[in-house]
Amino acid sequence: MERVDRCVVLVDAGYLLGAAASLLAGEPARSRITVDHTALIQGLRERAEADTEQPLLRIYWFDGAPDRVPQPEHRRLRVMPRVTVRLGALTRSDGRWAQKGVDAAMHAELTELARNRACSDVVLVTGDGDLLPGLMSAKEHGVAVHLWAVQAADGDYNQSEDLVAEADERRVLDRAWITKAVRAKETGGICAPQPQPRPEIAAILSAPLPEAALAASAERASEAQAAAARAGAQAPPRPDPGTPESAPAHGPRGVPTPKDLAALRAPAGPPPGAPAAPAPSATLRWSSDRGWADRSSLGEPPETASLPTLAQVTTAEQRWADREEDITTVGGDPFEVGQVFARRWMERLPETVHLQKLSTMYPRIPHRIDGELLRYAARFGLLAHKDDQIDEHDRYAIRAGFWREIDITAAVDRAPAAE
């Protein structure tokens, strides 16, 4: 089999972006940098073709993701020309995130390309010595191996010395090259511009806590004090309902979690000899207005129950087209995901009265539609655990994108027709 004269680039994204973060932001956390993936891929292609003097066959992007679910950046990358994304698992061990299966995938791809004589030159952007056997195997099959390093922050090597020694050619991607596509988020160095605040997100974040929840909290505190006194225990001082101490802890945004509110609504234990208190007639649900909603056992209120879900107004053909658009067009930004969902829902509504009814409910999204929206967002890797916490900001951004699209369409419908 004749070898084809072209080059292939294998990128260990964990190494490339981690080393870039160390260089620009002082630590390897990828959250400290912002990446223009289009510019980065173009830069890799141009540099590879110039260094190898061969046309590019393909760039393989190896990265880790929780449960191997593509994140928004992976979705953007995999639809770019000449780019293939390979995902390993991202797991947490001993307090650190670690990639699993990425090195093995790179090794398998490298040896397979060399064995099949698919290229004459391979560019490796990695520092892991585990790839050494694959590098040596590629050389034995007559492939020239180019090893690229990211300039180290301390001026030393950030690659395996054995890997460096075995490579046919070695290049360093210096700070000037890196900053064409990567910027630090810090204000002390090379910075990305601060994102502009979105008033829609701010409006949702600033929704006040219901007075009923505060009153329930004060009532619970009083009942707890009385129960402690009956038990002979020394009760803590009763808080003033108007003080901050009387309010439940809801986190930085002042929005209670379902657990907080369930505790507020739980009936206090009856005094000795008294009959058990009846169970509450309402169940607390997570919603998007003030963090809570009462839903009675009789079902949803008529004004929300009449609103159709996206699934109810979507045909099988539209479902297939939606999936195609999700894969090839939708990048996965939380705000964009909310807009896409709202646009599809509005376009398929059988009656415009549904849109008018929803517009009056801002900022609350009816529970069924809200749940469907968040399930849709989960396809893009949103709402996943980030640093051991659910990214609540993604939730607000998704809902803000939904309302922005609703507002735009509703404003057009309200505009008077031109004479």
Side-chain angles (χ1 to χ4, degrees), residues 5-8 45 49 52-58 82:
D5 290 334
R6 54 193 178 189
C7 69
V8 171
R45 177 171 187 166
E49 291 181 336
T52 65
E53 299 181 351
Q54 302 294 346
L56 177 75
L57 169 62
R58 190 172 298 115
R82 305 277 180 161

Side-chain angles (χ1 to χ4, degrees), residues 212-285:
L214 294 174
S217 177
E219 182 180 354
R220 289 276 297 161
S222 176
E223 292 171 351
Q225 183 184 28
R230 286 194 299 270
Q234 183 177 0
R238 178 177 177 178
D240 182 355
T243 63
E245 288 79 4
S246 65
H250 311 303
R253 294 185 179 85
V255 179
T257 66
K259 182 178 178 181
D260 294 332
L261 290 166
L264 295 181
R265 290 302 297 266
S281 60
T283 302
L284 288 165
R285 306 290 187 191

Side-chain angles (χ1 to χ4, degrees), residues 182-223:
V182 183
R183 297 289 185 273
K185 293 181 179 178
E186 299 275 73
T187 57
I190 302 169
C191 310
Q194 291 295 324
Q196 294 297 320
R198 289 181 171 133
E200 298 82 5
I201 298 179
I204 294 176
L205 291 175
S206 63
L209 181 67
E211 293 182 3
L214 294 174
S217 177
E219 182 180 354
R220 289 276 297 161
S222 176
E223 292 171 351

Side-chain angles (χ1 to χ4, degrees), residues 9-21:
V9 182
L10 305 183
V11 180
D12 179 349
Y15 166 76
L16 173 59
L17 300 182

Side-chain angles (χ1 to χ4, degrees), residues 22-42:
S22 294
L23 178 64
L24 303 181
E27 60 179 275
R30 288 161 63 170
S31 60
R32 297 287 301 276
I33 57 175
T34 181
V35 183
D36 182 341
H37 290 91
T38 301
L40 182 58
I41 293 299
Q42 183 62 27

